[in-house]
Amino acid sequence: MKKIPWIITILLLAGTAIIIPYLPDQIATHFDLSGTVDDRGSKYILFLFPAIQLLMTIIMTVFIIYLEKKRTEGVDDKKAANAHANAKVMEILTIVMSLLFVTIEAIVIGISFKGEKVENMGMAATRLSMLSMGLILIVVGNLMPKTRKNWIVGIRLPWSIYNDTTWSKTHRFGGAALMVGGAITILGAAILPNEALILTTMFVALMLSVIVTMVYSYKVYKEEKNKAVSE
């Protein structure tokens, strides 16, 4: 599974390099909230996403190797199992993020082929991007409860890392909150009439997911701390 992000990265770089010669020299690089092009730039800016994808894959691979090494360096069974579980989560997350970059690159390239006839494509690009983002939030939310207490991946709040119970409850709740936020983002992208409303809905859904998770995590922490004092 660790090879999949690298395969995606190589294909993304190669695909972009193959397509670049067939695109106009200047492409739309930004749309305003009404969907009108308000900035253009060199087509070679399309290499930005593959470059970010490559950097992300390198960083995530280093973390995965670290976790796998920790699993085999003689730690107790619980720590080894936790490291293995977190490595698997990181592998899946890396693949999901790689596919997101591919999706965004495909959308941008598709728009770029329109050349000067791109004025009405801003809204379509926003809808597709936010639909993809909503799906990512749902996948990440589903992965959250599978993480174990660690210093790399997950919701690392002072109270979420207090003990295994605060970690587990925080990530179950936070995962559900992210999945709801993802569903709201997808719904907004599908039905809302303009770009500003779609982006605002995504931002508000994400912020509310984060805030309610922080509040819930603190509540669980206080309960666990009071329980420890009473014992």
Side-chain angles (χ1 to χ4, degrees):
M1 190 178 289
K2 289 191 285 289
K3 294 179 180 179
I4 295 176
W6 286 102
I7 294 171
I8 295 173
T9 300
I10 292 170
L11 290 175
L12 184 59
L13 280 164
T16 301
I18 291 169
I19 291 171
I20 281 284
Y22 300 98
L23 295 175
D25 290 335
Q26 294 288 306
I27 62 172
T29 57
H30 193 268
F31 296 86
D32 63 23
L33 293 180
S34 66
T36 302
V37 177
D38 60 6
D39 195 15
R40 290 180 178 272
S42 169
K43 62 184 178 181
Y44 293 102
I45 199 172
L46 290 173
F47 281 112
L48 178 62
F49 282 115
I52 296 173
Q53 160 75 8
L54 176 60
L55 179 61
M56 181 202 72
T57 301
I58 292 171
I59 293 172
M60 298 291 267
T61 300
V62 169
F63 284 142
I64 292 167
I65 291 172
Y66 167 80
L67 289 169
E68 289 292 350
K69 182 180 178 182
K70 190 173 181 180
R71 180 172 70 94
T72 59
E73 64 183 10
V75 297
D76 60 61
D77 290 344
K78 180 181 177 181
K79 289 182 179 179
N82 287 352
H84 181 64
N86 290 326
K88 289 299 181 185
V89 169
M90 291 282 282
E91 288 176 9
I92 297 171
L93 184 59
T94 305
I95 293 171
V96 170
M97 293 303 296
S98 298
L99 292 175
L100 176 62
F101 279 110
V102 170
T103 301
I104 295 174
E105 183 80 338
I107 292 170
V108 175
I109 287 174
I111 290 174
S112 299
F113 269 114
K114 291 288 184 177
E116 296 299 324
K117 301 176 181 179
V118 75
E119 292 297 337
N120 297 321
M121 295 295 294
M123 187 64 181
T126 298
R127 287 195 192 279
L128 289 171
S129 298
M130 290 302 102
L131 285 170
S132 301
M133 182 61 69
L135 288 172
I136 292 296
L137 291 177
I138 290 174
V139 172
V140 172
N142 185 59
L143 289 173
M144 297 271 278
K146 297 178 174 65
T147 62
R148 301 294 182 267
K149 193 167 69 169
N150 69 99
W151 65 274
I152 297 176
V153 62
I155 304 170
R156 294 196 51 79
L157 299 168
W159 40 89
S160 69
I161 61 174
Y162 178 68
N163 62 23
D164 288 339
T165 299
T166 57
W167 180 274
S168 177
K169 288 186 175 181
T170 295
H171 284 75
R172 284 202 302 269
F173 184 91
L178 271 185
M179 291 174 74
V180 171
I184 292 172
T185 299
I186 290 172
L187 184 62
I191 67 174
L192 291 176
N194 63 64
E195 195 169 353
L197 283 175
I198 292 173
L199 294 174
T200 300
T201 298
M202 186 276 292
F203 179 78
V204 171
L206 184 57
M207 287 300 100
L208 285 177
S209 298
V210 171
I211 292 169
V212 298
T213 298
M214 291 176 67
V215 172
Y216 175 80
S217 182
Y218 184 74
K219 175 178 176 294
V220 173
Y221 161 75
K222 293 296 289 184
E223 291 173 353
E224 286 295 303
K225 195 170 183 180
N226 290 337
K227 187 188 297 183
V229 170
S230 64
E231 293 174 353

